[in-house]
Amino acid sequence: MKKHWPAVVGGVAVVAAVAIAAPSAVGAPTGTRAETGTRAASTAAATASAVVRPAAPAATPAPAATPAPAATPAAAVAPAGDPVRTVRPGQRVDAGRGFTVWLTREGKHWTGPDGYENFRSVVDGNIDRSEPGVSHQSEGDATGVFHSGVYYGTRKAGRVELSDAEGHRTVATLVALPGRPDWGVWYAHTGPSAGNGGGGLGVTLYDRGGRLLAELPGFDVPTGRG
């Protein structure tokens, strides 16, 4: 009589094996409990490591280069040390020692400590503005002399000087109206002059390059308004 138990047992074993393996067909873990635990621990450790590890600092961008300032055209730069002060028509200029000077389109005005107003026209035909020239008025006393006048016939006046017989020179202040007209006013103070009110001083007009434009020799007049 043949014995079939081994076969039956084998069949049961096969069925059991199939039953154990069956869950893997529907997505159950195929590893053992120990393997599953190991994988879970590895995953947790990796996650913890990712959380604890600080992020690498971001790279600092290089500072942007600052562009060099554009060069200023030479023509746009105002000349330094302009020898002529520009004033508005009628603007009073304190000329010192109680004297005041102002300009209008018609000419030069000034007053002294006595308040008396003086005027010299540049439009009445008494001066020839077609060529450079200079005029001179003076008034003073034992304390000093105030000199003033009109320069004309040039838009490039640079300096007016008074000079005496000994060669002493006094540089005057120049004022003019806006727009660089072809005339302006000069004024200066000197020490007292005996007998001629300062009229004995010569007056010289130079351009901005130092070139002589006009000169007016000194003359002898009594102290007062010339």
Side-chain angles (χ1 to χ4, degrees):
M1 181 178 179
K2 295 182 180 180
K3 296 180 179 180
H4 297 287
W5 287 110
V8 173
V9 173
V12 173
V14 172
V15 172
V18 172
I20 293 172
S24 65
V26 294
T30 57
T32 64
R33 185 183 300 275
E35 291 173 345
T36 302
T38 301
R39 291 175 184 171
S42 299
T43 302
T47 302
S49 176
V51 172
V52 173
R53 184 180 299 114
T60 302
T66 302
T72 302
V77 179
D82 193 331
V84 181
R85 175 186 173 186
T86 300
V87 296
R88 300 184 306 276
Q91 178 182 344
R92 265 53 174 177
V93 177
D94 182 359
R97 303 183 188 178
F99 287 87
T100 301
V101 173
W102 67 99
L103 287 66
T104 63
R105 302 296 180 187
E106 291 72 35
K108 166 200 167 193
H109 305 254
W110 78 102
T111 61
D114 58 6
Y116 185 84
E117 183 174 332
N118 300 271
F119 173 68
R120 286 294 181 272
S121 176
V122 297
V123 296
D124 63 0
N126 285 331
I127 60 175
D128 180 7
R129 290 164 58 181
S130 66
E131 58 182 10
V134 63
S135 70
H136 181 195
Q137 294 86 45
S138 63
E139 56 184 286
D141 53 28
T143 63
V145 180
F146 175 69
H147 305 264
S148 62
V150 175
Y151 66 85
Y152 51 89
T154 180
R155 289 182 169 83
K156 298 181 179 180
R159 188 171 80 257
V160 169
E161 286 184 352
L162 294 97
S163 57
D164 60 17
E166 286 76 32
H168 301 117
R169 297 179 180 275
T170 301
V171 178
T173 299
L174 309 183
V175 292
L177 295 175
R180 293 292 182 199
D182 63 349
W183 69 275
V185 169
W186 65 268
Y187 64 86
H189 291 270
T190 64
S193 299
N196 61 5
L201 300 179
V203 182
T204 309
L205 171 66
Y206 300 91
D207 70 9
R208 298 191 179 196
R211 183 172 65 93
L212 175 66
L213 294 179
E215 56 185 342
L216 181 68
F219 54 92
D220 215 8
V221 296
T223 301
R225 301 176 182 87

